[in-house]
Amino acid sequence: MIIITGATGALNGATVDHLLERVPASELVVAARDTAKAQRFGDIGIEVRRADYADADSLPAAFDGADQLLLVSSSDPAADAVSLHRAAIDAAAQVGVGRILYTSHQGAAPDTPFAPGRDHAATEQLLAASGIAWTSLRNGFYAHSLNWSLGDWRESGMIVVPADGPMSWTAREDSAEAAAVILASNGGYDGAVTLTASAAPTFADIAAMASDAVGRDVRLRVLDDDAWIAAQVAAGQPEFVARFMLGMYQAAAAGFFAGTDPLLASLLGREPKTVRQLLEA
């Protein structure tokens, strides 16, 4: 049995859809905080259970019987993500889950400026110490985030960032499909696996691609940290969110997102989607 958490979200919801192309619905279970939001899965014969990382008592029953458990990482920047993940891993150990697959991130490391990357590294340490077989899906930075990072570049002709560095922007739908392939392999991948697009362009590279896409010059402007945060706040972004995202740019500049890996293309049987395709869409 494969149990999938976070299936009411875009990433693991798409993973369930891809799994249905490979395994029958009777072999899947969806675990969600709000079971009503998972009704579409129940309608096609997938068992739906309640699971909330913040309610540890809900987790053992939700995870019981799992040969494989896909744990989505917490997406709340204000939460203690590592404690939430620890509760889930402890519950999985309690009920004898065969393998945990965890949605991690490329560049997971204790010293990354990007706070979620530190949480992912700590969670991977918990997995390694759990005694459970585990796979960490180190996905490249999700490419749809570029829609926010690039701002109104089509109108302004300007991309404004606080730092620049290579990033292997990766389509979330490609990551979801790869997760399904790995789950269907039934333990074919151990430890941390890196799932990225085939290139890691800088924002300067992206500005050049954007210029090609619209047929006019799109320039890159790099602000200092304080000026960039002030601009984000002036545009209506809460300051804590701006400071949270600043860590992403700083990590990119430090090279944490620079690597690429051919595994994603191999799992998909095709080249992953590219930044150029996103800009031209």
Side-chain angles (χ1 to χ4, degrees):
M1 179 188 298
I2 300 173
I3 299 179
I4 303 98
T5 67
T8 56
L11 177 65
N12 282 6
T15 296
V16 175
D17 293 334
H18 285 294
L19 276 170
L20 286 168
E21 300 169 3
R22 296 166 172 82
V23 298
S26 60
E27 295 182 12
L28 302 177
V29 173
V30 162
R33 283 182 297 180
D34 185 346
T35 57
K37 292 182 178 179
Q39 185 59 45
R40 77 175 180 95
F41 300 112
D43 290 343
I44 58 174
I46 297 176
E47 182 182 353
V48 177
R49 301 177 183 175
R50 179 180 175 273
D52 184 346
Y53 295 173
D55 177 9
D57 290 341
S58 72
L59 300 178
F63 299 162
D64 191 34
D67 299 300
Q68 299 187 87
L69 170 65
L70 179 59
L71 285 182
V72 69
S73 54
S74 172
S75 60
D76 182 355
D80 182 348
V82 178
S83 291
L84 295 176
H85 300 160
R86 180 183 291 108
I89 293 167
D90 288 348
Q94 179 182 331
V95 297
V97 167
R99 174 179 293 274
I100 295 175
L101 294 92
Y102 169 71
T103 58
S104 184
H105 199 287
Q106 181 190 22
D111 59 345
T112 175
F114 187 49
R118 298 193 295 272
D119 291 342
H120 290 312
T123 300
E124 289 177 356
Q125 291 176 347
L126 293 175
L127 288 166
S130 70
I132 305 171
W134 62 281
T135 305
S136 182
L137 307 173
R138 289 187 171 182
N139 297 328
F141 216 99
Y142 298 133
H144 67 274
S145 302
L146 270 173
N147 292 323
W148 177 84
S149 296
L150 298 182
D152 63 348
W153 67 272
R154 290 182 183 273
E155 292 74 29
S156 68
M158 184 79 67
I159 295 171
V160 181
V161 297
D164 193 12
M167 297 183 70
S168 57
W169 297 100
T170 304
R172 183 170 56 191
E173 53 268 33
D174 286 345
S175 299
E177 184 175 351
V181 174
I182 289 174
L183 282 162
S185 77
N186 194 27
Y189 299 84
D190 271 317
V193 296
T194 300
L195 302 170
T196 71
S198 299
T202 63
F203 279 100
D205 296 328
I206 293 172
M209 294 180 205
S211 298
D212 291 341
V214 297
R216 58 185 175 85
D217 189 36
V218 176
R219 293 174 294 153
L220 176 68
R221 184 182 182 193
V222 180
L223 300 179
D224 66 45
D225 294 352
D226 291 340
W228 183 82
I229 288 173
Q232 294 299 305
V233 172
Q237 188 76 259
E239 183 174 347
F240 87 93
V241 175
R243 292 193 178 280
F244 173 83
M245 292 310 300
L246 176 63
M248 176 197 78
Y249 295 100
Q250 293 172 332
F256 283 92
F257 307 135
T260 61
D261 195 294
L263 178 59
L264 179 58
S266 176
L267 292 170
L268 298 176
R270 57 174 171 79
E271 275 299 303
K273 293 177 181 176
T274 67
V275 169
R276 188 176 295 276
Q277 289 171 323
L278 176 69
L279 294 173
E280 293 175 348

